[in-house]
Every structure is written in C-alpha cells, then in structure tokens.
Amino acid sequence: MPTLAAPTKEQVLKQYFGYDSFRPLQAEIIDTVLAGQDALVIMPTGGGKSVCYQVPALLRPGLCVVISPLIALMKDQVQALRANGVPAAYLNSTLSAVEQRQVEDAALTGQLKLLYIAPEKLFGASAMGLLKRLNINLFAVDESHCISFWGHDFRPEYAQLRVLRQQFAGVPIVALTATADKVTRKDILQQLGLPEAKVFIASFDRPNLSLTVRPGRNRLKAIDDFLHQRPRQSGIIYCLSRKATETVAEKLAKLGYRAKHYHAGLDAATRSRTQDEFLRDDVQVIVATVAFGMGIDKSNVRWVIHYNLPKNVEGFYQEIGRAGRDGTPSDTLLFYSYADYLSQMEMNAQVEDPTRRGLLNAKLDRMKQYAEAETCRRRILLSYFNQETEHDCQNCDVCQNPRTKFEATTLAQKALSAVARTSERVALGLLVDILRGSHNQKVTEKGYHQIKTFGAGRELRPDEWNDYLLQMLNLGVLDIAYDDGHALKLNNLSWAVLKGEKPVMLVKYVPPHLRQAAQETATAREQDPVREALFEQLRGLRRRLADEQGVPAYVVFTDATLQAMAQQRPVTREQMVDLPGVSRQKYERYGPLFTQTVQDFLTERGLPLPTYQPKPAPERRAKPAEGQAAPTKVATWEATLQLYQDGLSVAEIAERRGFSVGTIYTHLTKLYQNGGPVDLRQLLSPEAAEAITTAASQLQMGENSPLKPLFEYLGERYSYDELRLGLAVWVKEQG
Ligand code: ADP
Ligand code: ZN
C-alpha cells in the first residue's frame, strides 16, 4: 500500500486557510509546539494568533482543546473553521444537553480536530473526565491575560487553569494574548505553571491602520463628513458613557446612517441582536462603550473612531485594533479635548488607593501624550509597547502635516497677563472670551470687560486661542487648578515669561479642515469604478450565500479576499485558488459561483477575460498582487492619453473606455502631475481656473488637501472634478 507523504505546515496553511505564506513568528510558534514545547504568544489583535494552534492541530493525530472566555466568539470561530473544512465544535453554557452529548461523542470518536471550551465548563466534573479520554495533541489558552490579576480583564475561572499542566503532563500548552504588559506576561507563565515556555512577542505595528487625532469640537459634523467619504464601510464609534452612545447613535440615525448603540446596560438579547446585525453588515455603525468588541471577530471593520479620550494606551490600541483585521487599509480617528482629559482626571481622583490612583493618572498621561503628539504618532504607540522604530510612519496625521514652530512670547504674555488681571479665577473658555473681547454675559457680569487685556487677542480665532493655551499648559508655562473650578493659575515659569526672561515657542495651529488626515486610502480605494462595481456584485453574492447558511458574511470570504477577486478578476479554477483566503473547501463550495459572477460581469461590459496563469506558490512568496497592479495602472493611463492626444473630449474618452468621466479626469491629472503632455488648464473655463486657483491659494491648500472646504468656499459653484483639476494646476504652477 503506498503511503502518502505527511503534509507540511505550508500545505496545511494553503489547503485549509488559502494562504501562501506564514506571517512573522507563526511558523516558529508552530514548530515549537509541534516539538512538544510550551509557548507564550503575544500578538496584537488581528495578528493571526489562531493559525498558531489550528495548523498544529491539523498536522498531528488527535485534537487541540482551545480554552476561550469569549462565548460569543466561539460559535463564529467554529463556523469559520468548518467553512474551511476543519472539523471543529464547542462546549459552553449555550448548548442544550443533547447538543452537548453530540459534541462529546464526536470528540470521543476522533471526529474533531478542534474543540473549544469555556473555562467554567472545563472544571465541571464531566468535562475533566471527558478530556482524560481524548487524544489531545495541544492545549491553547486564548486571551490568557485573563489569568492575571494585574491584567485589565481578570477572570477568576482562569485562575484554575494550572491543573492543565498538572493533569496532562505530556501535552504542550500554548498561551495567547494581545496584552503586552510585562507583569501580566510573567504572571501568565507562573499561573499556568510554564516556566520553560518559549516566549514569542510579535511586532505591535499595524501599518494598515492610519492614525489621526482631531480637536474635539463639532464632533458630529466631523463624523458626518468622515462617514460621507466612506459609504457602506463598517465602523465603530467608542464613547465614554452609555448616555453618549445613545445620543450619538440617534443623531447619526437621523442623518440617515444605519447606526445603533451598544452598552452593557442593554439586555442580552438586544446586545446579541445588534452584534449580529453589525456582523451581517445590516448595521453600518455601532456606537458603543468599551464593552463592545471583545469577542467580535469581524474582519472588515474599516474604521474606528474614539469620541472621547480613552483611559489608557492599552485599551485604545486594542480598540483601534478591531479595524482592518483583514490587513486592508483602515482608518482610526480620535477626538481630543482638554475637557475630556479633565473629566478622566476627576474620575481617577475618586479612586481611594493612592498607588492605584497614581497608576491610572500615569496611564492617562501617556494617552494624552499620544493625543498631543508633535512627532509621529505610531512611534509613540510602539514605544509604549517597548518597540522602538527608526522611521516615521507616513500614515499618521503628524507625518502628513509636519509641525512648524513660531516665536510666541508676545502671544503668551497677553494670555498670562489676562490670567493675572482676572486674579487667576477664570477657566480656559472664559479666558478666551476675554482675550477676544466678547461682550457676553459671563464676561460683563464680573466686570472683566473693563480690564486692560480685554480684547488684546482679538486677531486670533477661538479655536486658535484654545490650541495655544493647551500648548502653554503642556509646556508648563501655565497651570490649571482642577480643585478650583479649573481656574488657570500662574507659576514661576509664567512670571518669567511675563517679565520677558523666558521666550515661548509654540506650534503653528492649522484648522482641522485644512489638515491632511491620514486617510487618503478611503478615497484611493474608490477610484476604479469597474473594480468597485465588481466588488459590489461579489459582495451581493457573498451576502446571499451567507444568509442561506445563516453565517456571518466573512465566513464565506473575507473582504480582503473579495477585494483580491475584484482586482484580479479570476475566471478559472487556477486563478481563483491562487487568491489569498481561498481554501480548497471554499473553492469547492463557492468558487464556481464566484468565477461565474466575474465572467458574467466582464462579458456584460465587453471587458476582456483575464488569461494569466498563476505561478506556483513559492515563486510568488516575496511579493504578492502589488507587482501586478502597477503595470495595469500605467497601461490604463496610457490608453487614456492616446485618445486624448487623438483629440477626443473627456466625455468621448469616458464613453469609449467604459469609465466614468471622473476616472478619465483622474487619469489626465495623474499624467499631468507626472509631467505628461496634458494641459489641464485647457479642460477648465478661464474663469473657473482663475477662481479655483485663487481660492486654493487663499486657503493655503496642498496637493492632498480635502476638497470640501474649497467647494464650500466657492459657493458650491464648481464640481468636484473641476476643483480637482484646478487644484492640480495650482499645485503644479507653484512648483
Ligand atoms: P487574532 O486572533 O490574533 O486577533 P486571527 O487569528 O483572527 O487574529 O487572524 C486575523 C486575520 O488574519 C484572519 O482573517 C486570518 O485569517 C488572517 N491570517 C492569519 N494568518 C494569516 C496568514 N499567514 N496569511 C494571511 N492571512 C492570515
Ligand atoms: Zn507617523
């Protein structure tokens, strides 16, 4: 009888998960547990922890037992595994007695490769008896930080997990967590009794997440604009209070968004329904407290917004980590106001234990440093997790808008003198009113309109003053008394500045609408209308299949896989299985439906069917899809250029090429920017060119500035296409 060679871990990864190569550390971790050694895996959310125990489970006889506290997640994980042809099941309190028996039988008769168990179930007498009779090849302890009293999510049931090592001496244990805290790490090893475990710490960098911070003013309007640029994209808005989640969700719903709120005060049925609707893309926006997200495995969350300043960097990082788990570009936005910081300080002040209070304040300060950063925000985040980098990321708003400093001593003196003349009794907002000479009731009531510095800072807008005063607070040039109505106070440094002994440098304030958010990705993704249209069709098909089977959409295919399909347009089996995330079973179940959809789509539009033959996996390993995208882009611009040079109008080119007029404008703009033989000025009327370039200059716009302010500034007289052309002309003519 011929013996088949045992599959390699790479083959298992391709066959069951549809991926060509391992992510950093996955292969090493798998080798370690296959060698029978214990391991501790620290990887950020979305880093790919599951593969580290799922692949070994498939390579060895017997099954892997996964302990996870997240009951909601279990069902999804099991469904996702089954969709890939991996026999898996779970045991937790949601199962009926009959269902439980079925799972136990399947485990005992060797029909399972993965068995998920909730910790409270594990320590029932029957479960231990069951485990003893199984052929267990590996224990995986997921969310293992729950074992530590020092972690942010301690669960007493986890404290008993030590018995695993005691009762199952020969079975390796892999503990996994996304919490990087050193104390917690040490505690996990000690509590589980794994002194010899090999520790793997993955990079905490998530380069596909853009990072932006905006001042916390007009938040709703800013969110409206943000959502407007991202039609249909799912996301989460985190708020500090339950009340806030309700009001924000309600306002968004009034603006026409499919938004719902979520917090721990809702009953379990409502919570689970909302969660499901979000998973199925029926709800686009979830407005939630931090109670939302643990156990939500949705790979196509495209953005996360923090409505308020979070309490610490760990929580913040975990929450933004819920965006872009499929690795595609995703955006994060934090609203920051000093008032939020103050209210957090006040909450901390209620904590009685001074050590703990000190810890909370120190953590809050690190969060504030992130929000007020003048250097690359990603470097600040990574250094928090003890991961230093050499380079700025170019995907945060600071990298996109380098800071400029200016000599601000006179400006600071005006503010400090106003503080002195109001006897250090006013808070920030009122001081701004006084400096700007506003005759409002609060000002006149106390007679502040009669002091010498009243109106001394009229030349600056309120948002500018706000920003500069915050900077002064951060520099220590000014103090604030939390216990005295947040009144501003002078200190030694303030007096030195007032006397002209110390200069003050501040960072030039740029209003948010003129800042470049680190978010071009969203618009860039929308640019190829054919790809977008195909993506929508594929999404529709995925939706139908998911509904038929009662599973979340990503269990059929993830967004990343659908995007690869829309880009590569596979019409043959070879082309389809080549895509990331197309496992063997998924091809067999869904592949032909999707290739047919692609083919129909292309045929209906008279587009050519792709004929490429994918190369065998190993050769492509170094560089996937990207290499293929670039030439097509250039080729498509060239085709447009050819027709343009033949003297066709933009409308004719669009018609001829089957693209929208906007896309043709984009092609011509790119060609123009790259020095090609295209004269954009000729595509605009002379008055439009004049008006747009003048306005662009007045608004100090750059190549990537958002267009909406320009649109409004010009009284909505010109279309976005015209604005884009005009702006490109202006930028280029500036040199
Ligand atoms: P975690 O548990 O660490 O938060 P997951 O295990 O859920 O992360 O993985 C996150 C995503 O990354 C999933 O969609 C998973 O399929 C994908 N993934 C995991 N390993 C790989 C890999 N080697 N190549 C491509 N995608 C992967
Ligand atoms: Zn950066």
Side-chain angles (χ1 to χ4, degrees), residues 13 17-24 26 43-54 73 77 84 142-143 176-178 206 297 299 321 324-327 554 558 560 580-581:
L13 183 72
F17 303 93
Y19 300 129
D20 285 335
S21 55
F22 286 103
R23 292 212 182 132
Q26 286 177 330
M43 239 185 225
T45 312
K49 287 187 280 296
S50 332
V51 159
C52 301
Y53 54 85
Q54 290 168 348
L73 188 62
Q77 278 186 320
N84 277 328
D142 210 359
E143 310 290 340
L176 310 108
T177 174
R206 296 277 312 277
D297 187 6
S299 66
R325 289 178 69 146
D326 56 11
Y554 70 84
T558 62

Side-chain angles (χ1 to χ4, degrees), residues 211 213 369-381 383 391-394 396-403 405 507:
L211 307 170
V213 178
Q369 278 165 22
Y370 171 84
E372 289 170 350
E374 286 166 24
T375 55
C376 174
R377 294 196 205 273
R378 196 171 314 266
R379 291 178 75 160
I380 295 180
L381 278 185
S383 81
H391 304 287
D392 289 348
C393 77
Q394 305 307 335
C396 75
D397 60 323
V398 181
C399 284
Q400 301 277 335
N401 307 273
R403 307 307 202 219
K405 292 207 168 188
V507 174

